[in-house]
Amino acid sequence: MSDAQLTSAAASDERIKSRSRFREALIRPELGGIVGTIVVFTLFFLFASDSGMFNSQGIMNWSQVSAQFMIIAVGACLLMIAGEFDLSVGSMIGFSGMMIAIFSVTLGWPVWLAIIVTFALALAIGALNGIIVVRTGLPSFIVSLAFLFVLRGFTIYFPQTIERKTIIGGIKDAAEGDWLAPFFGGKIFTGLFQWLGEAGVIAVFERGTRKGMPVVDGIPMLIVWALVLVVIGHVVLTRTRFGNWIYAAGGDAQAARYTGVPVNRVKILMFMFTAFCATVFATCQVMEFGSAGADRGLLKEFEAIIAVVIGGALLTGGYGSVIGAALGALIFGVVQQGLFFAGVESSLFRVFLGVILLFAVILNTYIRQMITGEK
């Protein structure tokens, strides 16, 4: 082959063809999430800016809601990139919260022990979920759907059998003085927010027993956990060999095995990580409310998947971004709380969310096809 032919062949090879930074940005998985976030914030700034949505208390409200979605979206994102689904996330949230309540309140265990045992139990269930998927070859959709019903059934059965009720309270009293509970139910930077209130930067209570205290007195650990998980997930996915394995396992599992990627181990670990994230959510929730309910976590699995898809992940695996999933979760929280601040009927939340989901998926698909030439 002549030099001219080699040059021509190289120029036509997509693997080595150079792209501009703009074109590279257009095919990033976060594109839909970025556009959606800009649109959502713009709309609510125009229609709800005078409602208190963007003061300190308003920001804290939608930040906490977004953090809830963000925690479970990180786990769902990594699992989906690895090519699998976990529809039992919502049931795991309810189950884990109930186990913490039963262990600590009903059985009288120290809260720190109840939390640790619950995490161990959740990780074991996540591992079992993954092992069944990789060993049997069954679709994770079916396996995790079965676990959705199993875990929800146990979440209802255990408290009814032991306590004759489906809500167990008293967790805050049990957690009093516990060393581990503040890591899930406490707040950080309380001194800073006290100073900001005294300096007039943020609002303070004008009357009552809390007069002079800042309306927002710290950053809840729920938000801290969300940010930590996003950072860890992003670093693992983009800066480590294991992150490459996750992409490879979801892109072409058989080809990945040929190159030495431990596909089965990667998938099982991702199921375990998803269960871990669900349990973090559940622990923060029971510490905040002081109770566990059998109905907690309903539909959270679908909300996590939607946040990930809005963030640019493909349902077929091998493509996605933790940052994109975090933006999808942020859209969730802002829309849910923004409709309230804007005085819009709250039932329209899911309508608005569906429109954003459809828009993000179409935008991501169209731009990627336009740039890469994919069919």
Side-chain angles (χ1 to χ4, degrees), residues 18 39 374:
S18 63
V39 170
E374 295 175 358

Side-chain angles (χ1 to χ4, degrees), residues 187-250:
K187 294 182 179 181
I188 63 172
F189 300 135
T190 53
L192 173 62
F193 280 84
Q194 178 67 41
W195 177 81
L196 291 173
E198 293 172 355
V201 177
I202 60 176
V204 297
F205 289 102
E206 298 296 335
R207 53 183 178 272
T209 57
R210 299 193 64 191
K211 183 177 180 180
M213 296 290 291
V215 174
V216 177
D217 58 356
I219 298 178
M221 289 304 297
L222 178 75
I223 296 177
V224 176
W225 272 106
L227 295 177
V228 168
L229 288 173
V230 168
V231 171
I232 291 175
H234 177 69
V235 171
V236 168
L237 195 60
T238 61
R239 296 288 186 268
T240 68
R241 180 173 64 173
F242 189 78
N244 292 332
W245 288 356
I246 295 174
Y247 279 115

Side-chain angles (χ1 to χ4, degrees), residues 86-92 95 129 141-155 297-302:
D86 189 351
L87 295 182
S88 66
V89 169
S91 295
M92 179 63 79
F95 176 79
N129 205 341
F141 178 90
I142 299 299
V143 175
S144 60
L145 183 63
F147 273 89
L148 179 153
F149 289 108
V150 170
L151 291 175
R152 185 62 67 184
F154 279 135
T155 304
L298 285 173
L299 300 179
K300 290 300 180 185
E301 56 277 344
F302 298 107

Side-chain angles (χ1 to χ4, degrees), residues 167-188:
I167 298 177
I168 298 178
I171 297 176
K172 283 188 176 180
D173 293 334
E176 192 70 33
D178 189 87
W179 67 269
L180 186 57
F183 286 91
F184 295 92
K187 294 182 179 181
I188 63 172

Side-chain angles (χ1 to χ4, degrees), residues 45 69 105 247 268 299:
F45 185 78
F69 297 127
V105 177
Y247 279 115
I268 292 171
L299 300 179

Side-chain angles (χ1 to χ4, degrees), residues 304-319:
I305 291 172
I306 291 172
V308 175
V309 172
I310 288 176
L314 294 180
L315 296 176
T316 52
Y319 186 84

